[in-house]
Amino acid sequence: MQLLDGKALAKKMEENISLESKAFKQKTGRIPGLAVILVGHDPASQAYVGMKKKACDRAGFYSVSHEMPEDISQEAIINTIEMMNHNPNIDGILIQLPLPSHIDTTKILEVVSPSKDVDGFHPYNVGRLATGLHGFVPCTPLGVMELLSEYNIDPKGKNCCIVGASNIVGKPMAALLLNANATVEICHIFTDDLKKHTLAADIVLVGAGVVNLIKEDMIREGTIVVDIGINKTSDGRLVGDVDFDAVAPKTSYITPVPGGVGPMTITMLLSNTLKAAQNHAKELV
Ligand code: NAD
């Protein structure tokens, strides 16, 4: 069994992004900029926004966060996004999810300019990913693809079982793997006999948000397991969706939690923001 070390890869990639950011500044006289919109006071969301800001600082990016009260109107959020769409210092706009229930999340995501959609959630970029065209790809599944590639794991022809079918994890993960010529199955809460599907897979990728969902008897010897889940236990520990201690010895590769997919997500946000800045600079030439 070998660990897929996302922490180490994220560090290596961040160093390159930092160098590219310096080169970008020398060439254009400006630095990549990210705007984050945070609504409400959810501690987990606040922590994620803080981590993204720190990552921007490390990479030499400009970053600004717009923190809004829980009861803010949809119109006020839209106005802020439109301001960011027109701000030439901002290359990427990130809406920290989840938004409060009185806000129409789909509508909000559609207001973000597709050229600044560094989370890859705008239907324009979702459609481009689905058709195998270049565009912005959601950071978490993009980070998984980078991690597989770092360990020379080629999904081509492999049976991949994705557990979790959300718009931000499971569905884009499926599109990326399909584009990489894998055979893809997507399981979700209504899937009958999950074990039947995971046992048939060469690569199992889990992002369901359920502690210990994947147990030892659900995995064949030699399977590659990518744990995308992040869950906090009652004693404050971070764990994934896989019963790591029992499952890991059976795998050929497995991601730890923490230190697997999580750090890659933040790095891919930097990578997407740099790409947006480079695209915007080209548009000005
Ligand atoms: P979500 O709630 O939007 O979606 C969960 C998906 O899992 C759904 O499709 C649901 O049908 C499926 N599911 C739930 N219970 C299941 C079960 N018992 N069996 C099979 N399928 C089941 O969640 P999300 O936003 O996609 O996040 C999923 C997990 O990934 C969470 O733990 C979240 O914290 C984590 N996550 C991690 C990162 C990262 O950077 N590593 C990024 C985003 C989300």
mmCIF file of all heavy atoms in Angstrom, residues 175-227:
data_model
loop_
_atom_site.group_PDB
_atom_site.id
_atom_site.type_symbol
_atom_site.label_atom_id
_atom_site.label_comp_id
_atom_site.label_asym_id
_atom_site.label_seq_id
_atom_site.Cartn_x
_atom_site.Cartn_y
_atom_site.Cartn_z
ATOM 1 N N ALA A 175 -17.092 13.299 -14.973
ATOM 2 C CA ALA A 175 -16.799 13.874 -16.298
ATOM 3 C C ALA A 175 -15.290 13.813 -16.586
ATOM 4 O O ALA A 175 -14.873 13.444 -17.688
ATOM 5 C CB ALA A 175 -17.302 15.315 -16.362
ATOM 6 N N LEU A 176 -14.483 14.145 -15.573
ATOM 7 C CA LEU A 176 -13.023 14.127 -15.771
ATOM 8 C C LEU A 176 -12.525 12.713 -16.054
ATOM 9 O O LEU A 176 -11.679 12.500 -16.934
ATOM 10 C CB LEU A 176 -12.307 14.678 -14.526
ATOM 11 C CG LEU A 176 -12.324 16.193 -14.370
ATOM 12 C CD1 LEU A 176 -11.886 16.586 -12.968
ATOM 13 C CD2 LEU A 176 -11.425 16.855 -15.411
ATOM 14 N N LEU A 177 -13.047 11.749 -15.310
ATOM 15 C CA LEU A 177 -12.596 10.361 -15.506
ATOM 16 C C LEU A 177 -13.067 9.827 -16.859
ATOM 17 O O LEU A 177 -12.323 9.124 -17.549
ATOM 18 C CB LEU A 177 -13.094 9.470 -14.364
ATOM 19 C CG LEU A 177 -12.406 9.712 -13.014
ATOM 20 C CD1 LEU A 177 -13.166 9.044 -11.880
ATOM 21 C CD2 LEU A 177 -10.953 9.211 -13.051
ATOM 22 N N LEU A 178 -14.291 10.180 -17.241
ATOM 23 C CA LEU A 178 -14.794 9.758 -18.550
ATOM 24 C C LEU A 178 -13.945 10.386 -19.663
ATOM 25 O O LEU A 178 -13.556 9.716 -20.628
ATOM 26 C CB LEU A 178 -16.266 10.179 -18.677
ATOM 27 C CG LEU A 178 -17.046 9.647 -19.863
ATOM 28 C CD1 LEU A 178 -17.055 8.120 -19.874
ATOM 29 C CD2 LEU A 178 -18.491 10.178 -19.817
ATOM 30 N N ASN A 179 -13.618 11.671 -19.500
ATOM 31 C CA ASN A 179 -12.760 12.346 -20.493
ATOM 32 C C ASN A 179 -11.378 11.690 -20.560
ATOM 33 O O ASN A 179 -10.690 11.785 -21.574
ATOM 34 C CB ASN A 179 -12.604 13.839 -20.162
ATOM 35 C CG ASN A 179 -13.907 14.609 -20.373
ATOM 36 O OD1 ASN A 179 -14.831 14.109 -21.007
ATOM 37 N ND2 ASN A 179 -13.988 15.817 -19.838
ATOM 38 N N ALA A 180 -10.977 11.047 -19.439
ATOM 39 C CA ALA A 180 -9.682 10.346 -19.409
ATOM 40 C C ALA A 180 -9.843 8.871 -19.816
ATOM 41 O O ALA A 180 -8.956 8.054 -19.580
ATOM 42 C CB ALA A 180 -9.073 10.443 -18.013
ATOM 43 N N ASN A 181 -11.003 8.565 -20.413
ATOM 44 C CA ASN A 181 -11.273 7.219 -20.968
ATOM 45 C C ASN A 181 -11.406 6.101 -19.940
ATOM 46 O O ASN A 181 -11.114 4.935 -20.228
ATOM 47 C CB ASN A 181 -10.203 6.846 -22.017
ATOM 48 C CG ASN A 181 -10.252 7.793 -23.187
ATOM 49 O OD1 ASN A 181 -11.334 8.085 -23.704
ATOM 50 N ND2 ASN A 181 -9.097 8.302 -23.597
ATOM 51 N N ALA A 182 -11.840 6.469 -18.735
ATOM 52 C CA ALA A 182 -12.179 5.440 -17.743
ATOM 53 C C ALA A 182 -13.613 4.973 -17.989
ATOM 54 O O ALA A 182 -14.398 5.651 -18.656
ATOM 55 C CB ALA A 182 -12.067 6.027 -16.337
ATOM 56 N N THR A 183 -13.952 3.818 -17.410
ATOM 57 C CA THR A 183 -15.354 3.371 -17.375
ATOM 58 C C THR A 183 -15.889 3.812 -16.020
ATOM 59 O O THR A 183 -15.309 3.456 -14.988
ATOM 60 C CB THR A 183 -15.418 1.839 -17.507
ATOM 61 O OG1 THR A 183 -14.788 1.486 -18.733
ATOM 62 C CG2 THR A 183 -16.848 1.345 -17.496
ATOM 63 N N VAL A 184 -16.949 4.608 -16.047
ATOM 64 C CA VAL A 184 -17.333 5.309 -14.819
ATOM 65 C C VAL A 184 -18.727 4.906 -14.333
ATOM 66 O O VAL A 184 -19.672 4.847 -15.109
ATOM 67 C CB VAL A 184 -17.319 6.843 -15.066
ATOM 68 C CG1 VAL A 184 -17.688 7.585 -13.785
ATOM 69 C CG2 VAL A 184 -15.955 7.295 -15.566
ATOM 70 N N GLU A 185 -18.807 4.651 -13.033
ATOM 71 C CA GLU A 185 -20.093 4.402 -12.386
ATOM 72 C C GLU A 185 -20.259 5.449 -11.295
ATOM 73 O O GLU A 185 -19.300 5.717 -10.561
ATOM 74 C CB GLU A 185 -20.043 3.046 -11.678
ATOM 75 C CG GLU A 185 -20.777 1.951 -12.372
ATOM 76 C CD GLU A 185 -21.032 0.798 -11.418
ATOM 77 O OE1 GLU A 185 -20.115 0.425 -10.673
ATOM 78 O OE2 GLU A 185 -22.149 0.303 -11.434
ATOM 79 N N ILE A 186 -21.446 6.014 -11.177
ATOM 80 C CA ILE A 186 -21.680 6.982 -10.102
ATOM 81 C C ILE A 186 -22.735 6.417 -9.156
ATOM 82 O O ILE A 186 -23.853 6.134 -9.573
ATOM 83 C CB ILE A 186 -22.189 8.343 -10.634
ATOM 84 C CG1 ILE A 186 -21.363 8.816 -11.829
ATOM 85 C CG2 ILE A 186 -22.173 9.392 -9.531
ATOM 86 C CD1 ILE A 186 -21.854 10.122 -12.422
ATOM 87 N N CYS A 187 -22.365 6.263 -7.881
ATOM 88 C CA CYS A 187 -23.311 5.768 -6.882
ATOM 89 C C CYS A 187 -23.721 6.931 -5.980
ATOM 90 O O CYS A 187 -22.995 7.923 -5.852
ATOM 91 C CB CYS A 187 -22.664 4.681 -6.035
ATOM 92 S SG CYS A 187 -22.123 3.269 -7.010
ATOM 93 N N HIS A 188 -24.867 6.784 -5.349
ATOM 94 C CA HIS A 188 -25.381 7.844 -4.488
ATOM 95 C C HIS A 188 -26.274 7.236 -3.423
ATOM 96 O O HIS A 188 -26.358 6.010 -3.306
ATOM 97 C CB HIS A 188 -26.098 8.917 -5.325
ATOM 98 C CG HIS A 188 -27.019 8.331 -6.325
ATOM 99 N ND1 HIS A 188 -28.229 7.793 -5.985
ATOM 100 C CD2 HIS A 188 -26.858 8.122 -7.663
ATOM 101 C CE1 HIS A 188 -28.799 7.304 -7.064
ATOM 102 N NE2 HIS A 188 -27.984 7.488 -8.105
ATOM 103 N N ILE A 189 -26.945 8.084 -2.690
ATOM 104 C CA ILE A 189 -27.730 7.638 -1.537
ATOM 105 C C ILE A 189 -28.801 6.602 -1.926
ATOM 106 O O ILE A 189 -29.157 5.748 -1.120
ATOM 107 C CB ILE A 189 -28.347 8.875 -0.811
ATOM 108 C CG1 ILE A 189 -29.023 8.496 0.511
ATOM 109 C CG2 ILE A 189 -29.328 9.626 -1.678
ATOM 110 C CD1 ILE A 189 -28.109 8.447 1.660
ATOM 111 N N PHE A 190 -29.288 6.650 -3.165
ATOM 112 C CA PHE A 190 -30.345 5.714 -3.579
ATOM 113 C C PHE A 190 -29.799 4.468 -4.286
ATOM 114 O O PHE A 190 -30.574 3.640 -4.767
ATOM 115 C CB PHE A 190 -31.368 6.431 -4.482
ATOM 116 C CG PHE A 190 -32.061 7.562 -3.778
ATOM 117 C CD1 PHE A 190 -31.850 8.881 -4.163
ATOM 118 C CD2 PHE A 190 -32.889 7.315 -2.691
ATOM 119 C CE1 PHE A 190 -32.469 9.921 -3.490
ATOM 120 C CE2 PHE A 190 -33.515 8.352 -2.008
ATOM 121 C CZ PHE A 190 -33.307 9.665 -2.416
ATOM 122 N N THR A 191 -28.473 4.353 -4.353
ATOM 123 C CA THR A 191 -27.889 3.177 -5.008
ATOM 124 C C THR A 191 -28.157 1.927 -4.164
ATOM 125 O O THR A 191 -27.913 1.920 -2.956
ATOM 126 C CB THR A 191 -26.365 3.371 -5.181
ATOM 127 O OG1 THR A 191 -26.160 4.509 -6.018
ATOM 128 C CG2 THR A 191 -25.708 2.151 -5.801
ATOM 129 N N ASP A 192 -28.634 0.905 -4.857
ATOM 130 C CA ASP A 192 -28.921 -0.352 -4.177
ATOM 131 C C ASP A 192 -27.615 -1.160 -4.111
ATOM 132 O O ASP A 192 -26.899 -1.255 -5.121
ATOM 133 C CB ASP A 192 -29.998 -1.091 -5.006
ATOM 134 C CG ASP A 192 -30.451 -2.348 -4.302
ATOM 135 O OD1 ASP A 192 -30.486 -2.344 -3.059
ATOM 136 O OD2 ASP A 192 -30.742 -3.331 -5.003
ATOM 137 N N ASP A 193 -27.296 -1.711 -2.986
ATOM 138 C CA ASP A 193 -26.136 -2.577 -2.810
ATOM 139 C C ASP A 193 -24.825 -1.896 -3.251
ATOM 140 O O ASP A 193 -24.179 -2.306 -4.219
ATOM 141 C CB ASP A 193 -26.350 -3.893 -3.593
ATOM 142 C CG ASP A 193 -25.380 -4.981 -3.147
ATOM 143 O OD1 ASP A 193 -24.528 -4.692 -2.277
ATOM 144 O OD2 ASP A 193 -25.463 -6.092 -3.690
ATOM 145 N N LEU A 194 -24.451 -0.876 -2.513
ATOM 146 C CA LEU A 194 -23.236 -0.104 -2.818
ATOM 147 C C LEU A 194 -22.010 -1.007 -2.951
ATOM 148 O O LEU A 194 -21.159 -0.840 -3.830
ATOM 149 C CB LEU A 194 -23.033 0.948 -1.715
ATOM 150 C CG LEU A 194 -21.843 1.887 -1.851
ATOM 151 C CD1 LEU A 194 -21.932 2.712 -3.119
ATOM 152 C CD2 LEU A 194 -21.749 2.810 -0.629
ATOM 153 N N LYS A 195 -21.946 -1.995 -2.063
ATOM 154 C CA LYS A 195 -20.793 -2.893 -2.018
ATOM 155 C C LYS A 195 -20.572 -3.609 -3.359
ATOM 156 O O LYS A 195 -19.434 -3.816 -3.784
ATOM 157 C CB LYS A 195 -21.050 -3.914 -0.896
ATOM 158 C CG LYS A 195 -19.978 -4.921 -0.657
ATOM 159 C CD LYS A 195 -20.373 -5.748 0.570
ATOM 160 C CE LYS A 195 -19.589 -7.033 0.611
ATOM 161 N NZ LYS A 195 -19.951 -7.845 1.782
ATOM 162 N N LYS A 196 -21.668 -3.984 -4.017
ATOM 163 C CA LYS A 196 -21.556 -4.679 -5.310
ATOM 164 C C LYS A 196 -20.767 -3.793 -6.300
ATOM 165 O O LYS A 196 -19.937 -4.274 -7.059
ATOM 166 C CB LYS A 196 -22.975 -4.959 -5.841
ATOM 167 C CG LYS A 196 -23.016 -5.718 -7.136
ATOM 168 C CD LYS A 196 -24.430 -5.941 -7.618
ATOM 169 C CE LYS A 196 -24.908 -4.747 -8.438
ATOM 170 N NZ LYS A 196 -26.310 -4.817 -8.826
ATOM 171 N N HIS A 197 -21.031 -2.493 -6.226
ATOM 172 C CA HIS A 197 -20.388 -1.563 -7.160
ATOM 173 C C HIS A 197 -18.930 -1.311 -6.778
ATOM 174 O O HIS A 197 -18.050 -1.311 -7.631
ATOM 175 C CB HIS A 197 -21.166 -0.249 -7.190
ATOM 176 C CG HIS A 197 -22.573 -0.416 -7.653
ATOM 177 N ND1 HIS A 197 -22.923 -0.414 -8.986
ATOM 178 C CD2 HIS A 197 -23.719 -0.641 -6.970
ATOM 179 C CE1 HIS A 197 -24.230 -0.605 -9.092
ATOM 180 N NE2 HIS A 197 -24.739 -0.751 -7.891
ATOM 181 N N THR A 198 -18.660 -1.101 -5.475
ATOM 182 C CA THR A 198 -17.278 -0.798 -5.078
ATOM 183 C C THR A 198 -16.373 -2.018 -5.288
ATOM 184 O O THR A 198 -15.207 -1.871 -5.652
ATOM 185 C CB THR A 198 -17.204 -0.326 -3.605
ATOM 186 O OG1 THR A 198 -17.817 -1.313 -2.771
ATOM 187 C CG2 THR A 198 -17.895 1.003 -3.411
ATOM 188 N N LEU A 199 -16.939 -3.214 -5.087
ATOM 189 C CA LEU A 199 -16.130 -4.438 -5.252
ATOM 190 C C LEU A 199 -15.719 -4.665 -6.713
ATOM 191 O O LEU A 199 -14.726 -5.334 -6.982
ATOM 192 C CB LEU A 199 -16.903 -5.661 -4.743
ATOM 193 C CG LEU A 199 -16.838 -5.927 -3.240
ATOM 194 C CD1 LEU A 199 -17.755 -7.083 -2.859
ATOM 195 C CD2 LEU A 199 -15.405 -6.209 -2.776
ATOM 196 N N ALA A 200 -16.491 -4.087 -7.627
ATOM 197 C CA ALA A 200 -16.194 -4.291 -9.052
ATOM 198 C C ALA A 200 -15.184 -3.270 -9.583
ATOM 199 O O ALA A 200 -14.778 -3.339 -10.745
ATOM 200 C CB ALA A 200 -17.490 -4.210 -9.859
ATOM 201 N N ALA A 201 -14.777 -2.332 -8.733
ATOM 202 C CA ALA A 201 -13.985 -1.199 -9.237
ATOM 203 C C ALA A 201 -12.479 -1.389 -9.053
ATOM 204 O O ALA A 201 -12.027 -2.009 -8.090
ATOM 205 C CB ALA A 201 -14.426 0.066 -8.513
ATOM 206 N N ASP A 202 -11.723 -0.805 -10.009
ATOM 207 C CA ASP A 202 -10.263 -0.712 -9.861
ATOM 208 C C ASP A 202 -9.907 0.526 -9.031
ATOM 209 O O ASP A 202 -8.916 0.543 -8.320
ATOM 210 C CB ASP A 202 -9.598 -0.572 -11.235
ATOM 211 C CG ASP A 202 -9.981 -1.697 -12.168
ATOM 212 O OD1 ASP A 202 -9.817 -2.859 -11.767
ATOM 213 O OD2 ASP A 202 -10.459 -1.411 -13.297
ATOM 214 N N ILE A 203 -10.717 1.585 -9.215
ATOM 215 C CA ILE A 203 -10.500 2.819 -8.451
ATOM 216 C C ILE A 203 -11.830 3.196 -7.798
ATOM 217 O O ILE A 203 -12.858 3.297 -8.486
ATOM 218 C CB ILE A 203 -10.017 3.990 -9.344
ATOM 219 C CG1 ILE A 203 -8.802 3.587 -10.196
ATOM 220 C CG2 ILE A 203 -9.701 5.224 -8.505
ATOM 221 C CD1 ILE A 203 -8.260 4.687 -11.109
ATOM 222 N N VAL A 204 -11.824 3.372 -6.492
ATOM 223 C CA VAL A 204 -13.025 3.827 -5.777
ATOM 224 C C VAL A 204 -12.746 5.246 -5.289
ATOM 225 O O VAL A 204 -11.742 5.495 -4.623
ATOM 226 C CB VAL A 204 -13.350 2.897 -4.589
ATOM 227 C CG1 VAL A 204 -14.502 3.455 -3.756
ATOM 228 C CG2 VAL A 204 -13.696 1.496 -5.080
ATOM 229 N N LEU A 205 -13.645 6.173 -5.634
ATOM 230 C CA LEU A 205 -13.480 7.575 -5.238
ATOM 231 C C LEU A 205 -14.718 7.962 -4.437
ATOM 232 O O LEU A 205 -15.835 7.895 -4.967
ATOM 233 C CB LEU A 205 -13.328 8.481 -6.468
ATOM 234 C CG LEU A 205 -12.243 8.013 -7.462
ATOM 235 C CD1 LEU A 205 -12.888 7.319 -8.647
ATOM 236 C CD2 LEU A 205 -11.388 9.175 -7.935
ATOM 237 N N VAL A 206 -14.527 8.342 -3.187
ATOM 238 C CA VAL A 206 -15.674 8.536 -2.298
ATOM 239 C C VAL A 206 -15.766 9.971 -1.804
ATOM 240 O O VAL A 206 -14.842 10.477 -1.177
ATOM 241 C CB VAL A 206 -15.559 7.642 -1.037
ATOM 242 C CG1 VAL A 206 -16.918 7.481 -0.396
ATOM 243 C CG2 VAL A 206 -14.958 6.315 -1.357
ATOM 244 N N GLY A 207 -16.900 10.607 -2.059
ATOM 245 C CA GLY A 207 -17.170 11.942 -1.519
ATOM 246 C C GLY A 207 -18.632 12.013 -1.138
ATOM 247 O O GLY A 207 -19.459 12.566 -1.859
ATOM 248 N N ALA A 208 -18.971 11.399 -0.017
ATOM 249 C CA ALA A 208 -20.374 11.324 0.405
ATOM 250 C C ALA A 208 -20.617 12.082 1.709
ATOM 251 O O ALA A 208 -21.731 12.506 1.991
ATOM 252 C CB ALA A 208 -20.792 9.862 0.572
ATOM 253 N N GLY A 209 -19.575 12.260 2.492
ATOM 254 C CA GLY A 209 -19.750 12.932 3.786
ATOM 255 C C GLY A 209 -20.306 12.001 4.846
ATOM 256 O O GLY A 209 -21.049 12.436 5.719
ATOM 257 N N VAL A 210 -19.944 10.716 4.767
ATOM 258 C CA VAL A 210 -20.429 9.722 5.741
ATOM 259 C C VAL A 210 -19.224 8.976 6.328
ATOM 260 O O VAL A 210 -18.514 8.268 5.593
ATOM 261 C CB VAL A 210 -21.386 8.702 5.073
ATOM 262 C CG1 VAL A 210 -21.904 7.690 6.100
ATOM 263 C CG2 VAL A 210 -22.548 9.408 4.376
ATOM 264 N N VAL A 211 -19.004 9.139 7.624
ATOM 265 C CA VAL A 211 -17.859 8.496 8.291
ATOM 266 C C VAL A 211 -17.949 6.973 8.132
ATOM 267 O O VAL A 211 -19.026 6.391 8.294
ATOM 268 C CB VAL A 211 -17.842 8.869 9.798
ATOM 269 C CG1 VAL A 211 -16.693 8.173 10.518
ATOM 270 C CG2 VAL A 211 -17.740 10.378 9.977
ATOM 271 N N ASN A 212 -16.818 6.356 7.765
ATOM 272 C CA ASN A 212 -16.725 4.883 7.654
ATOM 273 C C ASN A 212 -17.717 4.272 6.669
ATOM 274 O O ASN A 212 -18.137 3.124 6.837
ATOM 275 C CB ASN A 212 -16.922 4.206 9.022
ATOM 276 C CG ASN A 212 -15.709 4.404 9.919
ATOM 277 O OD1 ASN A 212 -14.630 4.759 9.428
ATOM 278 N ND2 ASN A 212 -15.874 4.191 11.206
ATOM 279 N N LEU A 213 -18.085 5.025 5.635
ATOM 280 C CA LEU A 213 -19.026 4.479 4.638
ATOM 281 C C LEU A 213 -18.386 3.293 3.904
ATOM 282 O O LEU A 213 -19.034 2.284 3.633
ATOM 283 C CB LEU A 213 -19.413 5.585 3.629
ATOM 284 C CG LEU A 213 -20.343 5.170 2.501
ATOM 285 C CD1 LEU A 213 -21.694 4.727 3.041
ATOM 286 C CD2 LEU A 213 -20.541 6.319 1.505
ATOM 287 N N ILE A 214 -17.084 3.426 3.610
ATOM 288 C CA ILE A 214 -16.396 2.361 2.873
ATOM 289 C C ILE A 214 -15.617 1.494 3.868
ATOM 290 O O ILE A 214 -14.658 1.962 4.497
ATOM 291 C CB ILE A 214 -15.452 2.952 1.797
ATOM 292 C CG1 ILE A 214 -16.244 3.881 0.849
ATOM 293 C CG2 ILE A 214 -14.733 1.843 1.028
ATOM 294 C CD1 ILE A 214 -17.385 3.218 0.103
ATOM 295 N N LYS A 215 -16.075 0.246 3.958
ATOM 296 C CA LYS A 215 -15.474 -0.677 4.931
ATOM 297 C C LYS A 215 -14.613 -1.710 4.196
ATOM 298 O O LYS A 215 -14.677 -1.815 2.966
ATOM 299 C CB LYS A 215 -16.578 -1.370 5.728
ATOM 300 C CG LYS A 215 -17.446 -0.369 6.487
ATOM 301 C CD LYS A 215 -18.518 -1.051 7.289
ATOM 302 C CE LYS A 215 -19.378 -0.040 8.022
ATOM 303 N NZ LYS A 215 -20.115 0.870 7.113
ATOM 304 N N GLU A 216 -13.865 -2.439 4.991
ATOM 305 C CA GLU A 216 -12.864 -3.371 4.456
ATOM 306 C C GLU A 216 -13.468 -4.387 3.471
ATOM 307 O O GLU A 216 -12.880 -4.685 2.434
ATOM 308 C CB GLU A 216 -12.195 -4.052 5.662
ATOM 309 C CG GLU A 216 -11.113 -5.027 5.363
ATOM 310 C CD GLU A 216 -11.653 -6.446 5.319
ATOM 311 O OE1 GLU A 216 -12.663 -6.721 6.005
ATOM 312 O OE2 GLU A 216 -11.074 -7.268 4.572
ATOM 313 N N ASP A 217 -14.674 -4.871 3.764
ATOM 314 C CA ASP A 217 -15.263 -5.906 2.897
ATOM 315 C C ASP A 217 -15.870 -5.328 1.613
ATOM 316 O O ASP A 217 -16.422 -6.062 0.806
ATOM 317 C CB ASP A 217 -16.333 -6.703 3.666
ATOM 318 C CG ASP A 217 -17.526 -5.843 4.058
ATOM 319 O OD1 ASP A 217 -17.416 -4.610 4.020
ATOM 320 O OD2 ASP A 217 -18.581 -6.411 4.402
ATOM 321 N N MET A 218 -15.737 -4.004 1.402
ATOM 322 C CA MET A 218 -16.307 -3.383 0.196
ATOM 323 C C MET A 218 -15.243 -3.133 -0.871
ATOM 324 O O MET A 218 -15.523 -2.568 -1.934
ATOM 325 C CB MET A 218 -16.992 -2.051 0.565
ATOM 326 C CG MET A 218 -18.165 -2.237 1.505
ATOM 327 S SD MET A 218 -18.778 -0.684 2.165
ATOM 328 C CE MET A 218 -19.672 -0.028 0.762
ATOM 329 N N ILE A 219 -13.999 -3.543 -0.569
ATOM 330 C CA ILE A 219 -12.864 -3.236 -1.438
ATOM 331 C C ILE A 219 -12.115 -4.526 -1.782
ATOM 332 O O ILE A 219 -11.864 -5.337 -0.902
ATOM 333 C CB ILE A 219 -11.890 -2.276 -0.687
ATOM 334 C CG1 ILE A 219 -12.580 -0.945 -0.363
ATOM 335 C CG2 ILE A 219 -10.595 -2.041 -1.431
ATOM 336 C CD1 ILE A 219 -12.865 -0.078 -1.548
ATOM 337 N N ARG A 220 -11.775 -4.660 -3.070
ATOM 338 C CA ARG A 220 -10.953 -5.812 -3.483
ATOM 339 C C ARG A 220 -9.488 -5.550 -3.147
ATOM 340 O O ARG A 220 -9.066 -4.396 -3.064
ATOM 341 C CB ARG A 220 -11.034 -5.962 -5.016
ATOM 342 C CG ARG A 220 -12.193 -6.758 -5.511
ATOM 343 C CD ARG A 220 -11.987 -7.100 -6.989
ATOM 344 N NE ARG A 220 -12.251 -5.980 -7.870
ATOM 345 C CZ ARG A 220 -11.412 -5.553 -8.811
ATOM 346 N NH1 ARG A 220 -10.231 -6.108 -8.982
ATOM 347 N NH2 ARG A 220 -11.746 -4.547 -9.603
ATOM 348 N N GLU A 221 -8.681 -6.609 -3.047
ATOM 349 C CA GLU A 221 -7.218 -6.457 -2.887
ATOM 350 C C GLU A 221 -6.687 -5.642 -4.076
ATOM 351 O O GLU A 221 -7.061 -5.908 -5.219
ATOM 352 C CB GLU A 221 -6.532 -7.829 -2.934
ATOM 353 C CG GLU A 221 -6.671 -8.669 -1.681
ATOM 354 C CD GLU A 221 -5.841 -8.148 -0.509
ATOM 355 O OE1 GLU A 221 -4.855 -7.437 -0.742
ATOM 356 O OE2 GLU A 221 -6.229 -8.459 0.642
ATOM 357 N N GLY A 222 -5.846 -4.648 -3.793
ATOM 358 C CA GLY A 222 -5.170 -3.919 -4.864
ATOM 359 C C GLY A 222 -5.939 -2.732 -5.416
ATOM 360 O O GLY A 222 -5.463 -2.043 -6.326
ATOM 361 N N THR A 223 -7.118 -2.465 -4.857
ATOM 362 C CA THR A 223 -7.912 -1.308 -5.339
ATOM 363 C C THR A 223 -7.200 0.002 -4.976
ATOM 364 O O THR A 223 -6.489 0.075 -3.973
ATOM 365 C CB THR A 223 -9.315 -1.336 -4.678
ATOM 366 O OG1 THR A 223 -9.905 -2.601 -4.925
ATOM 367 C CG2 THR A 223 -10.227 -0.240 -5.213
ATOM 368 N N ILE A 224 -7.420 1.005 -5.822
ATOM 369 C CA ILE A 224 -6.935 2.360 -5.517
ATOM 370 C C ILE A 224 -8.114 3.097 -4.874
ATOM 371 O O ILE A 224 -9.221 3.097 -5.436
ATOM 372 C CB ILE A 224 -6.481 3.073 -6.810
ATOM 373 C CG1 ILE A 224 -5.290 2.330 -7.411
ATOM 374 C CG2 ILE A 224 -6.146 4.538 -6.539
ATOM 375 C CD1 ILE A 224 -4.995 2.692 -8.848
ATOM 376 N N VAL A 225 -7.895 3.684 -3.711
ATOM 377 C CA VAL A 225 -8.998 4.342 -2.998
ATOM 378 C C VAL A 225 -8.673 5.828 -2.797
ATOM 379 O O VAL A 225 -7.628 6.174 -2.237
ATOM 380 C CB VAL A 225 -9.269 3.657 -1.638
ATOM 381 C CG1 VAL A 225 -10.317 4.429 -0.836
ATOM 382 C CG2 VAL A 225 -9.740 2.217 -1.857
ATOM 383 N N VAL A 226 -9.575 6.667 -3.280
ATOM 384 C CA VAL A 226 -9.427 8.115 -3.117
ATOM 385 C C VAL A 226 -10.554 8.596 -2.208
ATOM 386 O O VAL A 226 -11.724 8.503 -2.568
ATOM 387 C CB VAL A 226 -9.498 8.828 -4.489
ATOM 388 C CG1 VAL A 226 -9.401 10.340 -4.302
ATOM 389 C CG2 VAL A 226 -8.396 8.331 -5.418
ATOM 390 N N ASP A 227 -10.169 9.067 -1.039
ATOM 391 C CA ASP A 227 -11.163 9.500 -0.041
ATOM 392 C C ASP A 227 -11.296 11.024 -0.104
ATOM 393 O O ASP A 227 -10.396 11.756 0.304
ATOM 394 C CB ASP A 227 -10.703 9.048 1.354
ATOM 395 C CG ASP A 227 -11.792 9.201 2.396
ATOM 396 O OD1 ASP A 227 -12.837 9.815 2.087
ATOM 397 O OD2 ASP A 227 -11.604 8.697 3.522
#
